[in-house]
Amino acid sequence: MRKTLFTIGYEGLDPERLRAALQDAGVGLLADVRAVANSRKRGFSKGALRAGLEEAGLGYAHLRALGTPRAGREAARAHDAALMRRIYCEEVLDTADGGLALDALAELAGTRPVCLLCFERDPERCHRRVLAERLVARGFAVVDLFG
């Protein structure tokens, strides 16, 4: 049986819609893969996000090591997905630390339904697509949620 990994971007969502989408999908843990877990959007900074999820019976983990470096975030904001992907792979995933962080994510996602969180609504413009592809190669199915 294939394990399922979910992904979601909180762009355009409020915390209530995010929680509802996670609960509807049966997610047990939200894996925040932002390098910097701060947000100008109410309810999406690390502490507030964790508290709201825990109140709803959902787990939260900030996986900072799987976040995108500044240059990758700038490329994503400029709608240059190819550059973002190259930067992300070279500076994060294809490093020893990045490989260990990906292994840890795969282990975590193998124990309960996990959803990767970042900002971008469109997974094609986000590094969570790269993470998802790497986990598909490890036997996971991927479902993108859109709250």
Side-chain angles (χ1 to χ4, degrees):
M1 182 165 138
R2 290 185 83 177
K3 299 164 284 224
T4 301
L5 176 76
F6 298 90
T7 84
I8 195 166
Y10 68 89
E11 182 178 13
L13 294 180
D14 58 40
E16 295 76 21
R17 285 181 53 209
L18 172 72
R19 286 191 298 269
L22 297 174
Q23 289 173 322
D24 290 348
V27 169
L29 176 77
L30 184 75
D32 188 341
V33 292
R34 298 176 290 171
V36 180
N38 293 323
S39 179
R40 292 185 193 108
K41 287 188 67 157
R42 179 193 62 79
F44 287 100
S45 288
K46 183 177 182 173
L49 183 58
R50 177 192 308 271
L53 290 168
E54 287 176 354
E55 195 174 284
L58 299 165
Y60 173 86
H62 182 207
L63 305 182
R64 180 190 328 260
L66 292 174
T68 306
R70 178 183 297 273
R73 294 191 305 271
E74 290 170 357
R77 278 193 287 276
H79 304 287
D80 191 341
L83 178 59
M84 178 275 302
R85 177 182 287 267
R86 184 176 58 74
I87 291 168
Y88 186 63
C89 289
E90 288 176 2
E91 295 186 23
V92 178
L93 283 187
D94 295 338
T95 68
D97 287 345
L100 291 173
L102 185 64
D103 290 345
L105 172 60
E107 188 173 317
L108 191 62
T111 64
R112 61 180 151 169
V114 170
C115 183
L116 304 180
L117 170 86
C118 198
F119 173 74
E120 291 83 7
R121 179 172 172 81
D122 180 359
E124 296 302 323
R125 288 185 35 220
C126 185
H127 74 291
R128 67 183 193 274
R129 169 59 68 229
V130 182
L131 287 168
E133 289 169 356
R134 298 279 176 112
L135 291 178
V136 163
R138 295 180 184 211
F140 285 84
V142 175
V143 175
D144 296 310
L145 303 176
F146 291 98

